[in-house]
Amino acid sequence: MSEPAEPASAPSRQRWATPADAEAIAAYHHRCWLAAFADLVDGDVSTLDPLGKLDRWRSWLSNESPERTAVMDVDGVAVAHVTVRDNELVHLFVDPDHHRSGFGRILLATGERILAMAGVTDAVLHTMVGNEPALQLYRAAGWTVTDALHHEEVNGLRYDEHALTKTLAPVGHVEANRDHWDDDAHNWIERGRRAWADEPSWGEVGTREHELGLLSGVSGSDVVELGCGTAYISAWCARAGARSVVGLDNSLGQLTTARDLQAEFDVTFPLVWADAERAPLADDSFDLAISEYGAAIWCDPDRWIPEAARLLRPGGRLIFLGTSSLLALCYGDFEGDPTFTALQRPQRDMRRFTWPDDDCIEFHVSHGDMIKVLTRAGFVVDDLIELYVPLDDQRADAHFERAWGRDWPAEEIWVAHLPAANPAQDG
């Protein structure tokens, strides 16, 4: 395995391996041996059967197998894979034709995330003694080479492997999401510019403001946007006549874009670099707390919703939009997966969502649990608006397939308020 450095030239995506990948994996696994390991084995690797391990791979890729394998797919063909079992990263191989593609580094991170998602903290892997490119890759990723050796035999050919270890410390969602959005901020500049320039529309579904009226009570109000990103919601509120607006976000990269767009569109308001679960803002300061995605899915609802209640005055409103709980249950695990029409995970205990190919951490809870969170924080629930893709919508897919969103709600908006200080004024 060579140290990956150059981007792949063909479109690629990660996905879970299936038994149909067994032959391709066995074949390039063998070619990888011939290309990289011949000088490291006590014996003639040319005597190995290219498909000698095909039955093993078919077993490993079956639904009943304790091994889990993710592959890099190029034009429908597996060209690299990572396999984990228990606390071990068992395999990481890249087709020699795709060395220096970056696939090794990407799949190593995927394997680590799969282990971490399973609760593993002390991970191990083995790599052949003398395989310096692999050792270099693993060391760069934080793995430690131990003194332990693992003895392996393949078709009568013996070799030794180093045992490597890595502590997979749990990563807090605040830090993980900050890093994610800082790294991804440049991809949202043009989208933010379009949202600043356009009339308000909500979510990926793109429902127009005049259909929802979410900003109808903004005039004369003090507004805080929790997880503002490029701050286009805050800009809409300012233009709708808000008395004051504050945009708060965990990502300095996103706030840098927001500041640049303020200058470009000549609309200014304070931007605060902070976590919406611990906002450095005074109690009872706002009439409206609002979030389109932002805190709505990137923050722990047991933390950010009580914080929103603290920031709001009596009678204040909370409006937040995010992925529907149904869509969260129907997502595939990898970005390139379809939006399934069958449930992919249980609703029981749904809460913290992590993905094998992404370092962000999301929060999605059932409707019943969300009502409990809101009422515990003192809110009265006024509405739950489910957003469907219009039947005549022909726009490109977003983070879900728009055809799916025509039949099921892809996004939902919660509307709630705090009771007024004078109960006679509530409502």
Side-chain angles (χ1 to χ4, degrees), residues 106-184:
I106 293 169
L107 285 172
L108 176 58
T110 295
E112 292 178 8
R113 278 193 289 270
I114 295 171
L115 291 171
M117 288 162 60
V120 171
T121 55
D122 298 316
V124 298
L125 65 79
H126 301 143
T127 194
M128 189 176 295
V129 171
N131 186 5
E132 290 304 319
L135 289 170
Q136 181 181 353
L137 173 66
Y138 296 139
R139 285 194 182 102
W143 289 80
T144 299
V145 181
T146 71
D147 293 332
L149 291 179
H150 174 76
H151 304 287
E152 186 65 87
E153 183 171 324
V154 177
N155 292 357
L157 304 177
R158 292 181 56 82
Y159 61 91
D160 292 331
E161 292 182 332
H162 288 293
L164 289 79
T165 63
K166 183 174 182 179
T167 300
L168 303 178
V171 178
H173 63 276
V174 174
E175 297 79 9
N177 290 337
R178 179 187 299 129
D179 291 344
H180 171 87
W181 284 105
D182 280 344
D183 291 343
D184 202 39

Side-chain angles (χ1 to χ4, degrees), residues 95-284:
D95 187 321
D97 290 342
H98 292 273
H99 279 180
R100 302 189 65 79
S101 63
F103 293 162
R105 182 175 61 252
I106 293 169
L107 285 172
L108 176 58
T110 295
E112 292 178 8
R113 278 193 289 270
I114 295 171
L115 291 171
M117 288 162 60
V120 171
T121 55
D122 298 316
V124 298
L125 65 79
H126 301 143
T127 194
M128 189 176 295
V129 171
N131 186 5
E132 290 304 319
L135 289 170
Q136 181 181 353
L137 173 66
Y138 296 139
R139 285 194 182 102
W143 289 80
T144 299
V145 181
T146 71
D147 293 332
L149 291 179
H150 174 76
H151 304 287
E152 186 65 87
E153 183 171 324
V154 177
N155 292 357
L157 304 177
R158 292 181 56 82
Y159 61 91
D160 292 331
E161 292 182 332
H162 288 293
L164 289 79
T165 63
K166 183 174 182 179
T167 300
L168 303 178
V171 178
H173 63 276
V174 174
E175 297 79 9
N177 290 337
R178 179 187 299 129
D179 291 344
H180 171 87
W181 284 105
D182 280 344
D183 291 343
D184 202 39
H186 66 282
N187 290 319
W188 293 81
I189 295 173
E190 287 307 315
R191 179 169 177 167
R193 178 174 285 113
R194 291 194 299 270
W196 272 71
D198 198 4
E199 65 174 293
S201 62
W202 295 92
E204 296 280 355
V205 169
T207 305
R208 294 296 185 179
E209 164 61 17
H210 71 265
E211 299 177 48
L212 298 174
L214 298 179
L215 302 182
S216 60
V218 165
S219 181
S221 298
D222 298 311
V223 180
V224 61
E225 184 182 2
L226 300 173
C228 66
T230 60
Y232 55 87
I233 302 288
S234 292
W236 294 347
C237 292
R239 289 172 176 152
R243 178 168 52 199
S244 70
V245 178
V246 175
L248 179 149
D249 202 90
N250 187 27
S251 165
L252 188 58
Q254 289 282 70
L255 290 179
T256 298
T257 300
R259 183 193 60 203
D260 292 342
L261 291 172
Q262 284 185 334
E264 181 177 335
F265 288 89
D266 194 25
V267 179
T268 59
F269 43 83
L271 296 170
V272 178
W273 181 30
D275 165 26
E277 298 175 12
R278 289 170 287 270
L281 302 169
D283 296 1
D284 303 332

